[in-house]
Amino acid sequence: MEEKTMIPESAEGMKYLVDLGRERTDIPTVTIDGETYTNSNLVRIPKVPAPRPACFTTATLHGLVEFLLADVDGILDKFSSVLVNVESPTCVVVYSPFYGDEKKRDVIARCEVNPSLLNTDCYMDAEDFIVMIQTKVVQSHNRDLVLKFVGSMRDEQSNAVADDGFSQRVTVKTGVAQVGDVTIVNPVSLAPRRTFPEVSQPESPFILRLKEGPCAALFRCNDNEWRNDAIFSIGCYLRGYLSHHAETDDPRFVVIAG
């Protein structure tokens, strides 16, 4: 005996019956003023996309340039040019030109760096502060001045005792004192390591503050101009190395830095 299909008495069941009826009948169409209309819901079935190449990743600009110039995967044979986009001071992405009806792009390569950033806007022990500045800030006159200034701090405490035989009074004074003559004018310009090592690290202003402990802190001045400087430097680096090897006047690599 043939098994009967049970149709649930619900919205899903009604939709199943409607769709089943549409599948077994021709789709009605009406032409009005040269335009064709139908009361059926048509859904386009997309084409199965062809396999695309996996994205190449690297952590240095030098490695990215070598990958593009070597053209191991025949990228330049497949495309007339590729787009090299400097998205941020720490990320560069290489895109293919548009392809297909949907105008998609492939991500051919990605170059990212993760620098160890400064601990800003908080006070630190003087010794930890000095180590941070030495390891995360590019050597400069201002950096050396900050190191000398913080390194010469000492925690000053003086006690004065008065005793007349009947009562005793103790006066305690604490604070931060400087040993030697060191002067810093705020804000001070420093160049932290926060972009690719192949380009110069941009400077930005910071406020240096001290307090008892001794402790020191760098406060940011909300200056984002360094980001534009870093992106511009990365763009110049890539254009210099990629265009230098171009065989024709037409650029094979279009570098966007902005």
Side-chain angles (χ1 to χ4, degrees):
M1 180 179 293
E2 182 181 356
E3 295 183 0
K4 296 182 179 180
T5 303
M6 299 300 296
I7 306 300
E9 296 181 359
S10 62
E12 290 80 5
M14 296 301 296
K15 183 177 183 302
Y16 171 79
L17 292 175
V18 172
D19 293 340
L20 184 62
R22 287 175 176 173
E23 290 177 359
R24 297 183 177 180
T25 59
D26 295 332
I27 299 176
T29 60
V30 177
T31 302
I32 302 175
D33 295 333
E35 300 291 338
T36 302
Y37 300 86
T38 179
N39 60 355
S40 297
N41 295 325
L42 301 180
V43 179
R44 184 172 64 88
I45 299 177
K47 299 179 181 179
V48 178
R52 310 305 301 179
C55 175
F56 175 80
T57 59
T58 180
T60 65
L61 296 177
H62 180 72
L64 179 64
V65 169
E66 284 193 330
F67 167 77
L68 294 175
L69 295 179
D71 194 21
V72 176
D73 301 316
I75 296 174
L76 298 183
D77 292 337
K78 185 177 180 180
F79 305 119
S80 59
S81 63
V82 295
L83 176 64
V84 183
N85 184 29
V86 184
E87 294 190 345
S88 72
T90 59
C91 181
V92 179
V93 182
V94 181
Y95 295 97
S96 72
F98 285 137
Y99 68 87
D101 297 335
E102 297 182 355
K103 302 300 181 183
K104 292 183 178 180
R105 294 184 187 270
D106 284 334
V107 178
I108 299 173
R110 179 182 296 272
C111 181
E112 289 187 276
V113 65
N114 295 307
S116 179
L117 302 179
L118 289 177
N119 295 326
T120 59
D121 304 331
C122 63
Y123 283 94
M124 303 173 58
D125 176 82
E127 184 64 24
D128 294 336
F129 182 88
I130 290 173
V131 172
M132 179 187 70
I133 295 298
Q134 287 180 330
T135 57
K136 298 181 180 181
V137 178
V138 176
Q139 193 278 329
S140 66
H141 173 73
N142 285 341
R143 190 202 75 161
D144 295 343
L145 197 60
V146 169
L147 289 174
K148 185 177 180 181
F149 188 78
V150 176
S152 65
M153 288 194 311
R154 61 181 174 85
D155 200 13
E156 184 182 67
Q157 179 169 323
S158 60
N159 301 332
V161 180
D163 190 349
D164 58 6
F166 296 97
S167 62
Q168 186 179 55
R169 184 179 64 210
V170 179
T171 303
V172 179
K173 295 181 180 180
T174 62
V176 176
Q178 290 295 125
V179 179
D181 186 12
V182 182
T183 304
I184 283 187
V185 178
N186 276 315
V188 58
S189 294
L190 298 173
R193 305 180 192 276
R194 47 192 172 181
T195 186
F196 293 95
E198 291 93 338
V199 300
S200 60
Q201 304 297 313
E203 291 188 346
S204 57
F206 294 89
I207 303 296
L208 175 65
R209 299 296 295 171
L210 311 175
K211 73 175 185 178
E212 293 84 357
C215 296
L218 285 177
F219 292 89
R220 292 173 296 180
C221 296
N222 293 325
D223 175 33
N224 290 323
E225 186 176 350
W226 73 270
R227 292 180 171 272
N228 298 330
D229 294 340
I231 291 174
F232 178 79
S233 297
I234 296 170
C236 291
Y237 177 92
L238 294 173
R239 291 190 189 98
Y241 277 91
L242 294 176
S243 63
H244 177 71
H245 296 276
E247 298 176 357
T248 63
D249 294 335
D250 296 329
R252 297 182 297 171
F253 305 100
V254 180
V255 179
I256 305 297

